[in-house]
Amino acid sequence: MKLAQVAVAAPIRNQFTYIVSTACTNNLQAGCLVDVPFGRMIKRGVVTKIHDQPPPPGVALKEISRMLEPDPVVDRPLLDTLLWGSNYYLCPPGEMIFAALPATLRKSKPTSGQHRIQFLVPIDTIDSATIAALDSKAPCQARVLRTLLSQGKTCVAEFCRTDPGARQAIKTLIRKGLVLVEEQAQVRRPAMADLPPPLEVKNLTQEQAAACSKIQSSMDRNAYDAFLLHGVTGSGKTEVYLRAIGHALQAGRSAILLVPEISLTPQLLSIVYARFQTQVAVLHSGLLEGERLDEWHRLRKGEARVAVGARSAVFAPVRNLGLVVVDEEHDPSYKQSDRLPYNGRDLAMVRAKSENAVVILGTATPSVESYTHALSGRSKLLTLTQRVQQRGLPSVEVVDLKKESVDPLERPHTIGPALAAALAETLDRKEQAILFLNRRGYSSLVLCQDCGEGIRCKNCSVALVHHLKEQMLRCHYCGLSIAIPSRCPSCGGGRVQPFGLGTEKCEEEVRRRFPGARVMRLDSDSVSKRGTLHSLLSKFARKEVDVLVGTQMVTKGHDIPGVTLVGVVLADLGLQIPDFRAAERTFQLITQVAGRAGRGEKPGRVVVQTFLPFHPSIVLAREHRFDDFFQREREKRTQLGYPPAKKLLMVRFSHTDEKTALGFSQKVAREFNQIGGRLIQLLGPAPSPISKIRGRFRFQLLIKSGNAKALQEGARMVLKKFKPPTGMKILFDMDPIDML
DNA sequence: AGCACGCCGACT
DNA sequence: GTCGGCGTGCTC
């Protein structure tokens, strides 16, 4: 009897065995999309293996209901990569596989016609009284109705994402007739219509040419090879990528270009489109489902052979992959840390290996992990030390805020004298400036001057942030938004005052002190709407704005020649985070922001304000001394047993009851200690740095080992042995990046 | 995930 | 007494 292993589209760690019915015997193979009977429903799944081993004892096998199409939706090398990922990142195989497919293929619904999304609309007679009546009996339904009443029509999926009980509650609400369902056909956005003129073909620098030729000869061998392209900012890495992609296409193969989400800007896309025209397909979170499906099909059919996208584009269904480029390799956004904690950069290497392809990791600031690999020979190092057209690296000036401010606590300078002077000069010369501050909002902290208590979120263990424009205090973790209280909630005192600064205040200060300047703010508050990022950036590029104030968003992916001054308003922020990578992040951030300056004809200048002017991250970034920084950091990691010297697994437990969360995490910790023995070291369990989010208490366990398998085996044993208490969420995070 | 079973409080 | 709420367990 012919049997099939199927990974079902659900968060279930097992795979299931089915009988391959004679109807689809001929073609069914690993990677095929199927519908299978599952309990009393029909579920979507992907075949991972065809075999004829005797069925597991005591189960009545069922037949596969149907095969969706004869061609596999994931080919052999991609399937191998996904199964590897499921095993390595300790996540259910179905979750991993379906992360690689358009969401449309996930549900076993009549697939005919256009994709539709369901919205809920409350009926008119619902008011707060009807909701209050439900509060005690059906809190879940009450929550749904409340959201619906405050924001009107809402997508069903929206509720299910945040509220586990929502699905059932919604069903009941529909049955009761309290809400109506509206279906909306999704409209597909036309593909990028305005193709820019092709770029002039630039002459390569000597270093660029050398890098290209090494990459090309590797690609000609049709075997796996990995490169780390370490090129200073402005050294023309993009051109090297484009030539490599061109080479892959010429050889009849495909290519994937991965970029961090926010640098997936129209600027980058137009460069890639200009070079490869209709061969390009784009995959990112901003696409509508229909658009994503279209792009996915174009790649699968081979109509497009260059996939450009964020993290998940590493799963692009290209045929005959020859090259994967990971731009800004060090960027933390390659690691997804919430749902499916995989690292796009690392999976890129795994996939390249299984496709006999070449992988290029490119960056101006290599991660300690990748540089270590390059030095040990696991990848080949290519270096670009010169900026294109002999432009110099910007000069970086570090300003000690302790000396600049008269009394830093009373009246901290947002923009100190040195930065102000530089800004004035820049504006006089009609040049542009970027001010970088890694914090949104107006004031980061609202304090009562009588009792000293800060105003904190009631659901999360964080301070509320003052947002000036909406006159509200907001929680950046759960979205709570409250009016600014006139009296202190803990002591009743009337002297409640905002302290600290965010981009909003910084913007205001620039406007106040430079009245003639045209100022614009760029952060996730100002670009929440689709397409705003594009329009704001092109405004800046067209020189309709003189000063751009923003968060991380201003540090990536744009090449604006008019910028001659970059100001880092407070470089210490990242150093305060309790994370072993804090120093590395800060070094990278300063180097990257600084790299935005002087990309045109005129030389760039960078002013970094900090209370820690002698911190190695800041000093070495100022002097552009990557190698020294790396050596230092590498030694620290080795001493303390952090990556890349050791592997890390983080296990996070969260529960609405603090004792339950702590108790269970301790139980798991003991078990880990017992089975891991001397192979592993445990840290914790300890409260997560942000110890409460959305009313759930969070504890985490950090486990180190020289050997990743010991960590994964341990985790699997724990899963087998314990059933977690009700309401407990457990997140396994292999190679964690974000440990807040 | 999503469905059935089964226990529980609160209404005709 | 039943009805509908929500915890528990299972799916080849």
Side-chain angles (χ1 to χ4, degrees), chain A residues 635-695:
Chain A
E635 269 164 40
K636 242 172 53 190
R637 305 278 177 93
T638 307
Q639 269 170 25
L640 300 172
Y642 276 111
K646 291 273 172 90
K647 280 275 176 183
L648 282 187
L649 169 66
M650 186 190 72
V651 191
R652 171 172 296 142
F653 305 85
S654 76
H655 200 278
T656 46
D657 180 67
E658 189 171 8
K659 287 216 175 71
T660 312
L662 176 62
F664 188 69
S665 64
Q666 286 166 333
K667 209 165 122 185
V668 171
R670 275 195 296 274
E671 180 70 11
F672 253 109
N673 244 334
Q674 219 161 64
I675 53 188
R678 280 203 304 281
L679 277 177
I680 63 162
Q681 294 97 52
L682 250 82
L683 299 177
S688 303
I690 298 173
S691 60
K692 190 172 87 168
I693 291 186
R694 292 174 192 272

Side-chain angles (χ1 to χ4, degrees), chain A residues 129-289:
Chain A
T130 26
I131 298 178
L134 274 170
D135 250 336
S136 57
K137 281 189 69 176
C140 212
Q141 292 173 31
R143 275 199 300 276
V144 171
L145 283 180
R146 234 176 231 122
T147 324
L148 222 43
L149 210 58
S150 66
Q151 45 183 284
K153 193 199 289 185
T154 308
C155 176
V156 173
E158 192 74 30
F159 292 106
C160 301
R161 207 180 317 134
T162 49
D163 198 335
R167 190 169 298 273
Q168 202 139 339
I170 288 169
K171 270 191 181 166
T172 314
L173 287 172
I174 295 171
R175 193 159 36 80
K176 286 182 182 165
L178 291 173
V179 294
L180 301 172
V181 181
E182 254 180 40
E183 288 210 337
Q184 244 181 35
Q186 279 194 358
V187 193
R188 288 178 194 193
R189 192 181 50 178
M192 183 164 284
D194 47 349
L195 283 184
L199 295 184
E200 83 270 37
V201 180
K202 296 180 228 155
N203 289 325
L204 296 185
T205 64
Q206 235 172 30
E207 290 174 330
Q208 282 176 313
C212 284
S213 92
K214 282 193 184 143
I215 292 165
Q216 289 176 3
S217 54
S218 249
M219 288 171 73
D220 293 340
R221 281 198 294 278
N222 284 327
Y224 168 75
D225 208 353
F227 292 95
L228 175 63
L229 178 62
H230 177 202
V232 298
T233 55
S235 60
K237 291 184 288 293
T238 309
E239 186 58 32
V240 177
Y241 305 153
L242 295 176
R243 302 256 169 148
I245 293 170
H247 195 75
L249 294 183
Q250 267 169 30
R253 302 182 77 177
S254 310
I256 296 174
L257 171 59
L258 295 186
V259 296
E261 184 77 50
I262 37 179
S263 62
L264 196 56
T265 55
Q267 192 177 24
L268 171 82
L269 285 182
S270 56
I271 293 170
V272 181
Y273 271 119
R275 202 59 81 83
F276 304 109
Q277 315 274 327
T278 56
Q279 302 255 58
V280 181
V282 196
L283 302 161
H284 64 88
S285 63
L287 294 184
L288 297 174
E289 200 40 50

